Amino acid sequence: MLKHTLTGHDKPVMMVAWSPDDCQLLTCGMEEVIRRWDVESGKCLHVYEKSGIGLISCGWFPDGKHILSGLTDHNFCLWDLDGKEVDCWKGQRSSKTSDFAVSNDGKLIISMNRESTIRLFDRETKQERLIEEDNTITSFSLSEDGDFLLVNLISEAIHLWNIRNCPIRVNRYAGHKRSRFVIRSCFGGSEQAFIASGSEDSQVW
């Protein structure tokens, strides 16, 4: 049953993100603006934009009080809910960021900047570490404790990285199939001790 139709974007909507309490929704138009919506009423609560710069990704901070976006000028921007810019920064090797994750304490921002590179950016020290893969990265998933990163590659491999200090690849998984679509894998089970992945052969691994 259709509850709301959210209208207002002028360009294709590239990303949608639920708030931590599931009461609000962020939508990001392609190189356009971010809109924040009330789920119950369908009302647009705020529009986030920067003059002359397009926004290409959106996400919530774990506290539910700030939102983060990647910009077309290769920067990150952090706003409070009222639209006040809290911080804006650029990594040393950053390029257009289309996907990212934030650790539960809000200190580490993980972004996929280039086809085979993931950037780990520490907001407090302003330092960055890189994960370099040999193949194109299609998606990644961060564990709840922020210690591990699961990286899906176009080569049909999944790599598990320990990112607690210096990033180290600790395991490799294979068997699932991927040729046309983005396959997203995830952590789960007791203490997130299991890894699951979809597959284009209609199986779950």
Side-chain angles (χ1 to χ4, degrees), residues 190-204:
S190 177
E191 298 183 352
Q192 292 205 314
F194 290 86
I195 288 169
S197 179
S199 178
E200 289 184 14
D201 60 4
S202 303
Q203 308 296 317
V204 176

Side-chain angles (χ1 to χ4, degrees), residues 104-163:
N104 284 335
D105 60 10
K107 295 179 181 179
L108 184 66
I109 296 174
I110 302 163
S111 60
M112 187 166 63
N113 297 114
R114 295 190 295 273
E115 285 189 350
S116 59
T117 305
I118 289 176
R119 182 176 68 130
L120 312 173
F121 178 76
D122 188 311
R123 289 184 59 220
E124 292 187 336
T125 65
K126 307 299 183 184
Q127 294 181 336
E128 63 177 35
R129 297 168 290 153
L130 298 178
I131 290 177
E132 300 276 4
E133 291 281 10
D134 293 332
N135 286 280
T136 298
I137 298 165
T138 58
S139 67
F140 64 81
S141 177
L142 178 65
S143 64
E144 286 184 357
D145 61 10
D147 285 345
F148 294 93
L149 196 67
L150 201 59
V151 180
N152 286 57
L153 303 173
I154 200 170
S155 61
E156 296 186 333
I158 301 171
H159 291 168
L160 179 66
W161 290 80
N162 185 325
I163 60 172

Side-chain angles (χ1 to χ4, degrees), residues 43-199:
K43 178 183 178 181
C44 181
L45 301 175
H46 201 89
V47 178
Y48 305 86
E49 58 186 326
K50 286 180 72 71
S51 179
I53 301 174
L55 281 57
I56 56 175
S57 54
C58 63
W60 292 86
F61 258 60
D63 61 7
K65 298 178 180 179
H66 298 86
I67 71 167
L68 180 69
S69 176
L71 311 179
T72 53
D73 67 353
H74 304 175
N75 285 351
F76 277 112
C77 195
L78 180 68
W79 286 281
D80 65 15
L81 295 187
D82 293 329
K84 179 183 177 181
E85 187 176 305
V86 177
D87 203 355
C88 195
W89 61 90
K90 183 175 182 178
Q92 297 174 4
R93 308 185 188 185
S94 117
S95 59
K96 289 186 181 180
T97 300
S98 59
D99 199 5
F100 58 79
V102 183
S103 62
N104 284 335
D105 60 10
K107 295 179 181 179
L108 184 66
I109 296 174
I110 302 163
S111 60
M112 187 166 63
N113 297 114
R114 295 190 295 273
E115 285 189 350
S116 59
T117 305
I118 289 176
R119 182 176 68 130
L120 312 173
F121 178 76
D122 188 311
R123 289 184 59 220
E124 292 187 336
T125 65
K126 307 299 183 184
Q127 294 181 336
E128 63 177 35
R129 297 168 290 153
L130 298 178
I131 290 177
E132 300 276 4
E133 291 281 10
D134 293 332
N135 286 280
T136 298
I137 298 165
T138 58
S139 67
F140 64 81
S141 177
L142 178 65
S143 64
E144 286 184 357
D145 61 10
D147 285 345
F148 294 93
L149 196 67
L150 201 59
V151 180
N152 286 57
L153 303 173
I154 200 170
S155 61
E156 296 186 333
I158 301 171
H159 291 168
L160 179 66
W161 290 80
N162 185 325
I163 60 172
R164 187 177 302 129
N165 296 305
C166 179
I168 299 174
R169 197 179 85 184
V170 295
N171 217 333
R172 181 182 187 276
Y173 308 93
H176 76 293
K177 303 299 180 184
R178 193 225 67 85
S179 60
R180 297 174 55 202
F181 303 104
V182 173
I183 300 296
R184 294 189 178 275
S185 303
C186 64
F187 298 91
S190 177
E191 298 183 352
Q192 292 205 314
F194 290 86
I195 288 169
S197 179
S199 178

